[in-house]
Amino acid sequence: MTHFALTIIGRDHPGIVAKVTEILYRLGCNIADSSCTILGGQFAMILILSHPKMQSNEEFGTSFAPLEADGLSVFLRKLQPGGESAAEIDGEICMISVYGSDKPGIVYPVAKILGDMQINITDLNTKLVGTPQRPVYVMMIEAVLPAGLEIEELSSALDRLKKDLQVDIAVRSITPVEL
Amino acid sequence: MPVKDVLIYPHPLLKKICAPVEHLDEEIDSLIQDLIDTMVAAGHSVGVAAPQIGAPRRVVVVDVSHSKLGRDDNHGLLVMVNPEILEREGRKVSREGCMSVPDYTGNVVRAESVVVQFLDREGKQRVIRARGFEAVALQHEIDHLDGLLFLDRVSSLKTDLFRRKKR
């Protein structure tokens, strides 16, 4: 079955999900993985779709035109075969919290360290909170450590950054428990 | 004693309310042994509830003493017949998974400490207080007896942080 990635974003209001999924349902699309959330005032949807017959973007025709008319931006992309399933990520899971007074250049230095250490970010959220006078930046990262890397090594690398950036950083291990 | 297959959702028994045990007879004793054998055979499993091996009765076994998270605070192997949680205290979030719901985990809020009343394998009435990971495991297994899966209790798919009240 051919898989597609569909992303939709637009000013948040009730009914977006219903409109989108009605179109997908009538087309005969399956929704596999999906994640939808509010970012700023926007509702952002990311969906992995499959369809038993459709092979190309063109076959969707003007199906999504009503969404565009409703002020939503729609982007459809065909996945390469196999692109719908994730490679097995095996390693210790950790949560990294980064927060502090808002300033330029918080995300990149943290991400750079993780990238250099071959740490795989599986989830990342950032949010600007606090008051307009005292904005606070909060970033939450869920990541998987490569085999052989201890969480302490990551902690000490991030500790150095903590001083440079003047932000608070905490790393903790998450052990999923099978009960 | 046979190791049983663990039922996988959507098996209907997993959503059924289980019947209390009236008599601790041979049948129940061999069910208990099957539960223990199945838990041990499942390697990293720390507990099994009777409905997970196809017996809709109020029996669970829990043993967190071999797991990293429960090693330091536990009651060893617990066999509980007709368990009832009398008290719940505190709040603890764990990333739970379940043998009956493969390939999915979620953050679940449970009590940090519970007082549980139950009959042991010999039919003796007992009351224990469990803390930490053992308390989490007990609440998870006892939920199975009421047809509840951790999916019924997931508090958030990812982090809890952004799901908060408007200022």
Side-chain angles (χ1 to χ4, degrees):
Chain A
M1 235 191 285
T2 309
H3 285 74
F4 299 87
L6 175 68
T7 50
I8 295 171
I9 186 163
R11 181 78 199 167
D12 184 48
H13 63 268
I16 296 175
V17 176
K19 272 192 196 122
V20 171
T21 53
E22 183 185 356
I23 291 170
L24 296 176
Y25 174 71
R26 293 194 189 284
L27 286 169
C29 284
N30 305 305
I31 301 172
D33 289 7
S34 67
S35 179
C36 308
T37 194
I38 294 179
L39 300 172
Q42 307 292 305
F43 191 64
M45 305 179 66
I46 307 175
L47 306 96
I48 302 296
L49 308 175
S50 66
H51 194 283
K53 291 202 195 76
M54 289 209 229
Q55 301 284 339
S56 70
N57 286 6
E58 290 68 39
E59 291 171 63
F60 285 83
T62 57
S63 304
F64 300 122
L67 301 177
E68 302 272 8
D70 202 29
L72 298 164
S73 305
V74 180
F75 177 72
L76 182 71
R77 176 177 142 174
K78 182 183 164 176
L79 300 186
Q80 295 298 320
E84 72 280 6
S85 49
E88 191 78 25
I89 306 174
D90 217 8
E92 192 177 357
I93 304 173
C94 65
M95 262 319 280
I96 306 164
S97 330
V98 181
Y99 55 99
S101 295
D102 187 32
K103 61 176 80 64
I106 294 177
V107 179
Y108 169 60
V110 174
K112 174 87 168 78
I113 286 185
L114 300 184
D116 288 347
M117 295 177 92
Q118 294 297 310
I119 294 169
N120 200 333
I121 296 176
T122 54
D123 213 303
L124 183 151
N125 282 301
T126 68
K127 197 162 178 76
L128 190 56
V129 297
T131 60
Q133 295 76 36
R134 300 192 144 201
V136 170
Y137 200 70
V138 181
M139 172 163 68
M140 292 286 158
I141 297 174
E142 194 170 307
V144 180
L145 305 186
L149 182 73
E150 297 293 323
I151 201 161
E152 289 74 25
E153 293 174 60
L154 171 61
S155 290
S156 56
L158 291 174
D159 270 345
R160 289 192 286 280
L161 196 62
K162 215 157 126 175
K163 291 197 195 80
D164 296 347
L165 286 179
Q166 292 290 303
V167 293
D168 289 291
I169 304 180
V171 183
R172 61 208 171 279
S173 160
I174 295 179
T175 312
V177 290
E178 191 175 60
L179 295 163
Chain B
M1 286 293 165
V3 170
K4 300 281 189 175
D5 284 338
V6 173
L7 303 184
I8 307 281
Y9 185 83
H11 196 290
L13 271 188
L14 293 167
K15 293 303 293 176
K16 211 174 128 89
I17 295 179
C18 299
V21 171
E22 309 264 347
H23 306 287
L24 261 163
D25 50 21
E26 247 171 67
E27 189 196 330
I28 295 297
D29 196 74
S30 80
L31 168 61
I32 289 171
Q33 194 56 49
D34 290 351
L35 286 168
I36 295 171
D37 294 342
T38 304
M39 174 174 71
V40 171
H44 49 186
S45 159
V46 294
V48 183
Q52 287 183 286
I53 60 165
R57 311 301 302 274
R58 302 192 78 82
V59 183
V60 303
V61 299
V62 166
D63 184 358
V64 301
S65 64
H66 302 288
S67 103
K68 199 165 86 181
L69 294 168
R71 202 184 286 150
D72 300 327
D73 192 355
N74 65 75
H75 291 81
L77 172 63
L78 285 167
V79 172
M80 295 188 165
V81 176
N82 299 340
E84 207 180 319
I85 298 176
L86 302 179
E87 269 178 49
R88 298 164 198 271
E89 235 177 74
R91 194 172 175 276
K92 180 181 165 67
V93 180
S94 314
R95 180 76 57 94
E96 292 189 20
C98 179
M99 288 191 289
S100 296
V101 187
D103 304 326
Y104 199 85
T105 63
N107 291 334
V108 179
V109 183
R110 308 246 185 217
E112 201 279 329
S113 143
V114 287
V115 176
V116 188
Q117 183 179 55
F118 60 98
L119 298 174
D120 66 15
R121 196 172 183 171
E122 282 68 48
K124 217 164 30 156
Q125 184 87 242
R126 288 181 59 189
V127 176
I128 61 155
R129 177 180 285 278
R131 290 178 192 81
F133 183 46
E134 188 177 56
V136 169
L138 285 171
Q139 291 168 82
H140 177 109
E141 301 310 338
I142 293 170
D143 263 356
H144 276 300
L145 307 183
D146 292 316
L148 292 171
L149 300 172
F150 79 96
L151 297 177
D152 296 303
R153 304 238 186 238
V154 167
S155 64
S156 66
L157 293 176
K158 306 284 191 242
T159 57
D160 279 320
L161 184 78
F162 304 132
R163 309 276 176 263
R164 59 187 182 130
K165 280 184 277 187
K166 284 256 162 61
R167 267 169 294 166

